[in-house]
Amino acid sequence: MKLLRYGPPGAERPGMLDGDGALRDLSGLLPEIDGAALSPATLSHLAAIDPASLPLVPGTPRIGAPVARPGKFLCIGLNYADHARETGKEPPTEPVLFSKATSAFSGPDDDVQIPRGSDRTDWEVELGIVIGTRAKYLDKDAALDHVAGYVLINDVSERRFQSERGGQWTKGKSHDTFGPTGPWLVTKDEIADVQNIDLWLEVDGERRQTGNTRTMIFGVAHLVWYVSQFMTLEPGDIIATGTPPGVGLGMTPPTFLRAGQVVTLGATGLGQQRQRMVPA
């Protein structure tokens, strides 16, 4: 299934795509797509519904982030060896874990704000994991049992804030709109091999990133297991799994985003995003 939320910011409604890619309204069956809606029982119930029986949503409404109110927005840094090297760092020996403020969460096609004082706003296309059931101290072979599905994420970053303002990655990752997510939550049954998903990103139509999740240092199952050793993962929590090479920081010379530019990105089976850069 492809689940999504549509409508104005703060007033999104739950929806589902039918087999023809048309948007269907789920609000008669489900109050919201949040952690409570991602249980195996609820997802199984939704999968049994004929989408054609649901009301068709007219027009082209705004698409919001596909999960409401995630409790945690976690990220894995330097999870592709060639990306680590392009930033001047050695590939890590265990996952680099940091947080992104949940207030950075935004829709896939919403404008991205360049923060005041920023001159190094950068892009990062990533696969996101959405947790479906509570996970704590998992066994490695059980990790994927706790995953509801996957999303596309642009882990927008301000590199100066990230690296030169006290060494705190979170402050360079958490500005409002720095977490475009969606357009859909794709349930894990629709992804044949999560370690074989193509990722790409363009700036003003020029390709900047091309990668595949098979080149991750730490795969999806390992990441869910690993994070669960340090904190409880709750339904609706999101883990962004790292970006392939091609970020602005790694270009010669380093190149960063400016107001008016347009970023587009996508991933196999997970849809596409489009954001215009605007001043905060």
Side-chain angles (χ1 to χ4, degrees):
M1 288 182 294
K2 293 182 175 66
L3 302 175
L4 68 158
R5 300 169 63 247
Y6 69 94
E12 293 92 344
R13 298 164 66 93
M16 173 192 294
L17 289 191
D18 66 21
D20 296 322
L23 176 57
R24 300 282 178 165
D25 179 51
L26 269 176
S27 60
L29 301 173
L30 197 68
E32 182 60 284
I33 298 174
D34 54 11
L38 299 178
S39 70
T42 299
L43 292 180
S44 178
H45 174 69
L46 293 176
I49 296 169
D50 178 6
S53 67
L54 300 171
L56 185 66
V57 177
T60 54
R62 169 189 174 269
I63 303 300
V67 181
R69 300 180 297 276
K72 292 187 276 298
F73 197 171
L74 304 171
C75 301
I76 306 299
L78 308 175
N79 197 28
Y80 292 72
D82 35 13
H83 168 62
R85 293 192 181 99
E86 75 175 348
T87 64
K89 298 179 174 63
E90 288 300 312
T93 57
E94 63 179 285
V96 175
L97 178 62
F98 63 94
S99 294
K100 207 173 179 79
T102 56
S103 55
F105 213 42
S106 60
D109 299 329
D110 291 346
D111 291 344
V112 166
Q113 299 175 12
I114 295 180
R116 295 178 184 179
S118 168
D119 60 2
R120 296 187 183 181
T121 297
D122 206 346
W123 56 84
E124 294 190 12
V125 59
E126 305 198 9
L127 167 73
I129 305 165
V130 182
I131 301 299
T133 56
R134 190 175 186 272
K136 177 69 171 177
Y137 292 131
L138 296 177
D139 294 328
K140 285 187 178 180
D141 60 1
L144 294 183
D145 295 341
H146 295 265
V147 173
Y150 303 100
V151 291
L152 176 66
I153 295 173
N154 186 359
D155 176 20
V156 185
S157 311
E158 213 298 334
R159 302 300 187 186
R160 191 182 301 280
F161 297 177
Q162 177 183 354
S163 300
E164 300 178 17
R165 298 292 299 274
Q168 299 281 338
W169 279 24
T170 299
K171 68 180 68 170
K173 297 281 189 170
S174 293
H175 191 267
D176 297 351
T177 74
F178 267 26
T181 303
W184 322 306
L185 184 162
V186 181
T187 51
K188 63 184 177 182
D189 58 290
E190 288 206 7
I191 304 296
D193 182 0
V194 72
Q195 298 304 155
N196 188 23
I197 292 177
D198 291 326
L199 303 165
W200 60 269
L201 182 143
E202 297 178 349
V203 178
D204 289 341
E206 295 185 5
R207 182 63 60 97
R208 298 292 172 85
Q209 289 186 276
T210 302
N212 187 285
T213 57
R214 65 174 171 266
T215 65
M216 284 181 176
I217 299 171
F218 306 104
V220 167
H222 184 92
L223 293 175
V224 175
W225 164 80
Y226 181 85
V227 175
S228 80
Q229 307 307 303
F230 299 94
M231 65 190 76
T232 300
L233 290 168
E234 300 285 358
D237 287 352
I238 292 176
I239 305 172
T241 60
T243 196
V247 300
L249 180 64
M251 297 178 67
T252 305
T255 303
F256 301 106
L257 293 166
R258 306 181 307 276
Q261 290 190 297
V262 173
V263 173
T264 52
L265 57 149
T268 306
L270 299 179
Q272 298 185 20
Q273 301 183 1
R274 181 184 186 277
Q275 298 113 29
R276 181 174 295 279
M277 303 298 114
V278 300

